[in-house]
Amino acid sequence: METTKARKQGNSLMIVLNKQLDIKEGQEFYVVKDKSGVIELIPKAEDIYANVEVGDFLDDELDELSKGYTPQGSELDD
């Protein structure tokens, strides 16, 4: 297991990650720190819907199945 040190840079602390981790420059992460002090870096996923155009996610088979569907209660409520 490798170790690294936090270093001060201006008003921030920086932690250097080894190149062998294959992290691309500019990669964004969510940072989570739990009660015991464990820090997790969770890669921010690309928004797969960012460039979607109308009709991109239509499914003819699913549309056919849903034609006769009638809600019975609150299953379509937010």
Side-chain angles (χ1 to χ4, degrees), residues 10-26:
N11 290 329
S12 300
L13 288 176
M14 308 294 287
I15 297 176
V16 177
L17 301 174
N18 192 309
K19 184 178 181 178
Q20 293 172 334
L21 294 173
D22 196 30
I23 298 170
K24 306 291 185 244
E25 184 176 344

Side-chain angles (χ1 to χ4, degrees), residues 33-39:
K33 183 176 179 182
D34 69 16
K35 293 178 184 178
S36 66
V38 173
I39 298 171

